[in-house]
Amino acid sequence: MWIECFEKDARFDGTDRESLVEQFVAHVRGTHEVPYPDEEVRLWARNFAEASAREDGPVERLPSIGSIEVHPVTEERIDDWLRFFDRDAFPDNPDWGSCYCLHPHTGDVPERPWRDVRAEMVERLRSGATLGYLAYVDGTPAGWVNASRRSTYAKYDDVDREGPAPDTVVGVSCFIIAPPYRRHGVSSALLDRVVADGGARGARYVEGYPRRVETDDDSGAFCGPRSMFDARGFAPAEEHDRYTVVRRPVGSAPRP
């Protein structure tokens, strides 16, 4: 297992998790100024180290992929969802291995043990508090989108307060694509399914939050590129510091 500093200036490898954690804490305290207490820094490091060992899926992008199928994550697909997040989603980025896509619902909160985050998201999926979709390629989960009601997202509770009621909006908060399937249209297939299902879910709008400044880093594209939303008839609704709110009515035709 290994831990990489959040500033990318040091990496610690080994088999003893707690030894790696203490090396990391000593590095952080000796090199960086961070406002977090030692126990929170240790917890972040433990989560990273355990993700680096757990996330053992392939990291090489495939030159081509088969057809893409998209399904909502209902009870019978939770095991597929767990396999995806436990092993295949972040083998190239263990820093995100403890998120399990809970962050949109909670907003910024102190670090938590990854098993607690995982358990909370499973319960949200089972209760319907979170709704998302898995994309499959040749029967293998290849990608995920969180497409819950905006009313469930603490991260976006300040979006367009004079606009549509949050419980009438499906918010497309995160795309997570396993490394072999990136840049093969998986996010587009997921977004198309979200748009197609909006009416049946009783929503009036579908909304996205693409970053205002995009990067070439695949891991930085988790909100989806603006161009993908533009091509499907989403129009800008509100600007924020880091992202643009884009929205389209359910049932409207995409622009040519």
Side-chain angles (χ1 to χ4, degrees), residues 150 154 156-166 238 240 247:
R150 197 216 303 152
Y156 297 114
D157 64 0
D158 62 343
V159 163
D160 199 3
R161 290 182 173 173
E162 302 301 318
E238 190 176 62
H240 288 250
R247 184 182 302 140

Side-chain angles (χ1 to χ4, degrees), residues 142-156:
W144 150 265
V145 64
N146 192 335
S148 304
R149 299 289 178 135
R150 197 216 303 152
S151 55
T152 72
Y153 292 149
K155 181 177 179 179
Y156 297 114

Side-chain angles (χ1 to χ4, degrees), residues 128-191:
T130 293
L131 196 147
Y133 297 81
L134 278 176
Y136 292 77
V137 175
D138 298 327
T140 298
W144 150 265
V145 64
N146 192 335
S148 304
R149 299 289 178 135
R150 197 216 303 152
S151 55
T152 72
Y153 292 149
K155 181 177 179 179
Y156 297 114
D157 64 0
D158 62 343
V159 163
D160 199 3
R161 290 182 173 173
E162 302 301 318
D167 61 355
T168 70
V169 179
V170 169
V172 182
S173 64
C174 294
F175 294 91
I176 306 298
I177 312 301
Y181 304 99
R182 292 176 188 164
R183 302 178 189 243
H184 284 300
V186 177
S187 292
S188 294
L190 287 163
L191 182 57

Side-chain angles (χ1 to χ4, degrees), residues 61 92 96 175 177 179 182-183 215-223:
R61 180 179 177 271
D92 58 341
W96 288 8
F175 294 91
I177 312 301
R182 292 176 188 164
R183 302 178 189 243
T215 69
D216 293 331
D217 182 1
D218 285 329
S219 67
F222 69 95
C223 292

